[in-house]
Amino acid sequence: MEEVDVEPVITNIPAASHDKHLGFAWGPGDILVYETLYKASGSKRSPCTFIHEVRKDEDIYSPILRKLFNESHHIFVGLQTIGEDLPSKSKKPQFVSVSKNYRSVIRACMEELQQVAVSTKDSKLATEYGNQVSILLAIELIWNLCEVLFIDAAPAGSLLLHLLDWIRLHRADVDEKARDVLQSESPAEHCDYWDVVVSYVLQGRLEEARQMLVKQAMLHPASRNMYKLMDSLLSKMPFYKPGGTQPLAEFDVKWRHWHDEVDRCLQDGSFASNQHLELICKILVGDEDTLLTQKELLSTWYHFLVTRLLFCHPTVKATELHFYAQSCLTMFLDPRSTPEPLDSILLAAFEIDIHQVIKDCSIALNNWWFVAHITDLLDHCKLLKSHNLHFGSNLREFLLLEYASGLFTHHSLWQLAVDYFDHCSEFGRVYLELLIERVPLDTERKALKVLRICEQRQMSEQVRSICKIMAMRTLRNNRLGSALSWSIRAKDAALATLISERFLQDYCERGTFSDLDLIDNLGSAMLLSDRLTFLGKYREFHKLYGEKRFREAATLLLSLMTAKIAPRSFWMTLLTDALPLLEQKEVIFTANQTYELMYCLEELTSSLNTTAPSKDKPMQEDEVEKTKVELLRLAMARNLAIAIVKEGTVET
């Protein structure tokens, strides 16, 4: 597509003025704007302390439109599952059904917005909802036309029937007016009676027009023959029946015979005495000047187009529409007025220019929802295959990426965006990797949700990042068990070591372990770091001791020191834990094990003696340490003597 020659919309920022300097921080959907500390020479103004958020897509924050995004997401995901191997004839009805599902979601949201706009007492909100209704009306109008011309691609004959349905759906005001007329005391004398009859004729609803004319005929018995003739003309008008046995050429001949009959009635003045019936006869014959006098009832140039085709060119082909559309637009609009964006979009659709429709909609509409979904559907219909962009991605993927990036700025809709990225084969994963790291992890539940998404897609870097963030957050909140669990999921040895240290500190202060279930079930995860291994093994020692399996506990305790798994700072605690085992009546530590314990104690005391005494450490603590060492030496010496005697005694 060529560059857009349209002036961008100006957004006024309260902080901005001629003597202020602004800074920007760009996000995936929003921009933060703030005033910098820079001051122009001679400026005495005080800096502004506000940060302004400029939102690109305000619609995602509307609770009603959020339903549109949620419902259309399910339709989108379902569309991606339609098999590529199916023949195009089999897929076409499915694509039409998908299109109708999208339109039903648009209409449901539109009706809900209308109800809220009527019921709200806030005039500003009512205006806002009214604007959203207008936008959705335009979107559904465009989508429906795209469905008729591109997705269903109806042939000549059937095409006009689809266009008539399109007009009737979007010009429903005549039904409300007809209801008022029929509910009045004398419908035939109601001020809107003839407007309703003419509107029915303009929309090709000839049966309803005939029923209304019966009421007028009953009121004027003298003109009964004239009304009877009009009823005959209306009943005889042929309509093409798709799927029937009648060929299009035969229908065309039949229609021309009917048209000639109507023209004869007009020429011989059969309705000259009744201006209303004469007007209807001129409409039936397709008189352009007469049709243009009914601008108020037609209201739009595209209604004028469909009515003109109905009474002049009922076998029109899709490729011929652009000629009639352009001439109707020119005839209907005031020469001094310029077409609205909607007019340009519809005209591009009648010209069967899909890319121009998408381009104009991208400019005119206030979000990417419509262009992303209609482009995806058209791409599945193989109507956009030849159009690639210069920067590597095709048009469908580009628009889906833009739409999904906008969803990622919302606190809950970001989950929908994940599926859109999954179905963008070229850049979807890259976008997801970058944006998922920006999702605020407000709660552990949300973090687990994000983590599951990353794990399902083997996004290992993002998994590690999320786990590290949650581990540090829970550690700051002193939730050691949760922090350790997150660090293990992150496979971060340094972080696991840090948290294990905190567990050991906590044990030293309280004398018990917290989160025993987690530590007891570490399994192979304890091998992540030496400190975590020590924590797991030390807890295992406590379990063995609690189960009175003293020999196994003693062997494990000693191995923690001799294998240098235990940190030196924790040796005194381990040796103190050995004291009850040394004091047991039964010899638990062998002579060799006792020697190793003595060696560890001496190594610890020698290192303590070489370090300078701490000024912060109270003298009372030093005395306690000395007492512990003396008790340990005494217990080890006693245990060594008993062990030597026992091991040297030969049992008889």
Side-chain angles (χ1 to χ4, degrees):
M1 285 185 186
E2 65 272 15
E3 290 298 315
V4 178
D5 298 320
V6 177
E7 285 296 319
V9 178
I10 295 172
T11 302
N12 291 314
I13 300 169
S17 67
H18 67 282
D19 62 339
K20 293 183 181 179
H21 291 257
L22 298 179
F24 299 87
W26 297 86
D30 305 339
I31 309 167
L32 293 181
V33 183
Y34 53 89
E35 187 182 339
T36 66
L37 293 173
Y38 175 84
K39 286 186 180 180
S41 57
S43 174
K44 295 180 180 179
R45 61 180 176 79
S46 57
C48 175
T49 56
F50 292 107
I51 293 176
H52 299 273
E53 183 183 13
V54 182
R55 286 176 176 170
K56 183 169 70 175
D57 187 357
E58 192 68 22
D59 285 346
I60 63 171
Y61 299 96
S62 165
I64 297 172
L65 289 179
R66 223 172 295 161
K67 293 178 184 177
L68 173 69
F69 302 134
N70 277 307
E71 292 297 324
S72 58
H73 161 259
H74 295 305
I75 301 168
F76 169 83
V77 172
L79 173 59
Q80 313 311 308
T81 61
I82 294 177
E84 286 289 327
D85 52 339
L86 290 173
S88 56
K89 281 186 179 180
S90 302
K91 287 192 282 188
K92 184 177 172 179
Q94 294 183 60
F95 292 144
V96 173
S97 176
V98 166
S99 179
K100 287 178 179 175
N101 288 341
Y102 275 125
R103 288 201 292 115
S104 67
V105 170
I106 298 168
R107 191 154 281 274
C109 282
M110 193 161 53
E111 287 170 1
E112 191 173 346
L113 278 168
Q114 281 173 326
Q115 290 172 3
V116 175
V118 171
S119 60
T120 186
K121 294 177 182 177
D122 188 333
S123 58
K124 188 180 177 184
L125 264 180
T127 305
E128 185 183 322
Y129 288 138
N131 291 338
Q132 288 177 344
V133 168
S134 301
I135 291 166
L136 287 179
L137 272 169
I139 285 175
E140 211 229 332
L141 183 76
I142 299 163
W143 192 301
N144 198 347
L145 184 60
C146 290
E147 182 186 303
V148 170
L149 299 178
F150 307 140
I151 301 165
D152 200 359
S158 298
L159 176 60
L160 181 62
L161 299 177
H162 287 301
L163 290 174
L164 282 169
D165 289 337
W166 174 60
I167 284 295
R168 289 165 188 168
L169 184 64
H170 298 280
R171 292 294 303 157
D173 53 340
V174 65
D175 293 313
E176 292 177 25
K177 202 180 280 188
R179 205 175 299 118
D180 293 338
V181 170
L182 292 170
Q183 287 173 356
S184 65
E185 289 182 12
S186 179
E189 293 178 332
H190 194 281
C191 60
D192 289 332
Y193 170 83
W194 283 109
D195 281 352
V196 171
V197 175
V198 173
S199 295
Y200 277 148
V201 174
L202 291 171
Q203 289 188 11
R205 296 165 66 177
L206 304 188
E207 277 303 312
E208 287 101 320
R210 288 174 64 200
Q211 289 169 18
M212 292 294 284
L213 284 171
V214 168
K215 299 183 185 301
Q216 192 69 224
M218 290 167 64
L219 199 66
H220 300 95
S223 305
R224 187 168 294 172
N225 289 335
M226 199 185 301
Y227 282 100
K228 195 173 181 181
L229 177 59
M230 177 54 71
D231 183 73
S232 174
L233 292 176
L234 292 172
S235 66
K236 285 180 184 176
M237 181 176 176
F239 283 89
Y240 183 72
K241 293 177 182 176
T245 55
Q246 186 184 39
L248 186 64
E250 187 181 320
F251 162 76
D252 189 46
V253 170
K254 193 175 178 182
W255 182 86
R256 289 185 187 281
H257 282 308
W258 170 83
H259 191 269
D260 291 341
E261 185 181 347
V262 176
D263 192 38
R264 279 195 302 273
C265 290
L266 185 64
Q267 296 303 327
D268 62 22
S270 299
F271 305 105
S273 60
N274 189 315
Q275 60 173 357
H276 297 297
L277 294 181
E278 188 175 36
L279 172 68
I280 293 171
C281 192
K282 285 181 179 179
I283 291 171
L284 293 177
V285 88
D287 184 68
E288 287 180 0
D289 294 332
T290 304
L291 289 172
L292 288 170
T293 62
Q294 302 304 309
K295 278 187 180 183
E296 193 175 332
L297 295 179
L298 289 166
S299 76
T300 60
W301 67 268
Y302 43 90
H303 189 178
F304 170 51
L305 165 67
V306 176
T307 302
R308 186 182 168 199
L309 292 174
L310 174 64
F311 297 117
C312 298
H313 311 284
T315 57
V316 66
K317 297 175 185 174
T319 51
E320 299 167 346
L321 282 173
H322 68 94
F323 167 74
Y324 298 115
Q326 185 62 66
S327 64
C328 286
L329 179 66
T330 307
M331 284 191 283
F332 197 84
L333 294 184
D334 191 300
R336 290 167 294 180
S337 64
T338 53
E340 294 289 327
L342 178 60
D343 298 327
S344 303
I345 294 165
L346 295 177
L347 189 61
F350 284 123
E351 290 171 352
I352 319 298
D353 190 343
I354 297 173
H355 298 117
Q356 191 62 41
V357 171
I358 294 167
K359 175 184 172 181
D360 289 348
C361 287
S362 301
I363 298 166
L365 298 175
N366 58 345
N367 65 59
W368 296 102
W369 180 88
F370 171 75
V371 287
H373 289 89
I374 193 72
T375 304
D376 173 60
L377 181 53
L378 293 171
D379 187 71
H380 276 83
C381 296
K382 306 294 182 189
L383 296 170
L384 294 171
K385 196 172 182 181
S386 61
H387 195 85
N388 290 314
L389 301 177
H390 298 299
F391 44 84
S393 174
N394 60 33
L395 181 61
R396 169 192 172 272
E397 184 164 313
F398 168 73
L399 294 171
L400 286 175
L401 291 172
E402 286 295 317
Y403 171 65
S405 299
L407 291 181
F408 244 96
T409 62
H410 192 270
H411 64 87
S412 64
L413 294 177
W414 65 270
Q415 296 170 77
L416 307 182
V418 174
D419 285 324
Y420 288 95
F421 286 137
D422 282 345
H423 292 100
C424 294
S425 57
E426 195 148 358
F427 295 122
R429 186 180 175 88
V430 178
Y431 270 66
L432 183 58
E433 287 174 352
L434 292 171
L435 289 171
I436 204 153
E437 291 183 344
R438 295 169 179 251
V439 176
L441 306 174
D442 308 317
T443 62
E444 198 151 322
R445 185 182 174 187
K446 191 172 181 181
L448 287 168
K449 200 176 284 185
V450 175
L451 191 65
R452 188 165 59 251
I453 288 168
C454 294
E455 285 174 342
Q456 286 169 351
R457 290 155 183 81
Q458 287 84 47
M459 293 161 61
S460 51
E461 282 298 317
Q462 285 69 29
V463 168
R464 277 196 290 273
S465 173
I466 292 161
C467 291
K468 281 183 186 179
I469 291 166
M470 292 307 296
M472 292 306 296
R473 184 178 296 173
T474 49
L475 184 61
R476 282 195 293 270
N477 294 331
N478 211 35
R479 292 168 55 206
L480 298 181
S482 185
L484 183 59
S485 177
W486 282 111
S487 70
I488 290 168
R489 290 186 83 162
K491 295 183 174 59
D492 190 312
L495 194 54
T497 300
L498 174 68
I499 297 165
S500 300
E501 290 277 11
R502 286 284 297 273
F503 261 105
L504 296 171
Q505 277 178 3
D506 191 54
Y507 172 77
C508 292
E509 290 168 8
R510 295 167 53 196
T512 56
F513 281 112
S514 58
D515 300 285
L516 288 178
D517 286 344
L518 176 66
I519 301 171
D520 287 346
N521 295 287
L522 283 172
S524 60
M526 71 169 68
L527 301 174
L528 183 61
S529 77
D530 288 346
R531 199 67 82 249
L532 185 57
T533 304
F534 169 68
L535 178 65
K537 289 294 180 184
Y538 186 50
R539 168 59 191 155
E540 192 179 327
F541 159 75
H542 277 273
K543 282 175 72 178
L544 291 169
Y545 189 90
E547 293 166 4
K548 300 190 182 303
R549 295 159 64 185
F550 297 134
R551 290 187 189 281
E552 292 173 59
T555 305
L556 178 58
L557 185 71
L558 186 62
S559 69
L560 290 175
M561 287 187 287
T562 55
K564 309 294 182 187
I565 294 173
R568 184 64 65 90
S569 60
F570 211 76
W571 276 23
M572 183 55 77
T573 304
L574 294 176
L575 289 166
T576 307
D577 285 335
L579 197 56
L581 295 172
L582 292 166
E583 297 289 347
Q584 292 285 330
K585 289 180 182 179
E586 185 186 356
V587 176
I588 304 299
F589 288 102
T590 64
N592 285 336
Q593 286 177 327
T594 309
Y595 280 129
E596 286 180 348
L597 277 175
M598 295 171 88
Y599 175 77
C600 290
L601 179 62
E602 291 309 312
E603 193 176 339
L604 178 63
T605 52
S606 63
S607 66
L608 289 172
N609 292 333
T610 55
T611 55
S614 172
K615 293 179 182 178
D616 300 330
K617 200 173 184 180
M619 192 173 288
Q620 200 171 359
E621 281 189 27
D622 284 338
E623 291 298 323
V624 171
E625 290 292 319
K626 285 178 183 177
T627 305
K628 278 184 186 177
V629 171
E630 288 171 8
L631 285 171
L632 283 166
R633 280 176 176 157
L634 184 63
M636 287 176 190
R638 190 185 299 122
N639 187 82
L640 181 62
I642 297 168
I644 289 171
V645 170
K646 187 175 181 182
E647 288 170 17
T649 304
V650 179
E651 292 185 12
T652 58

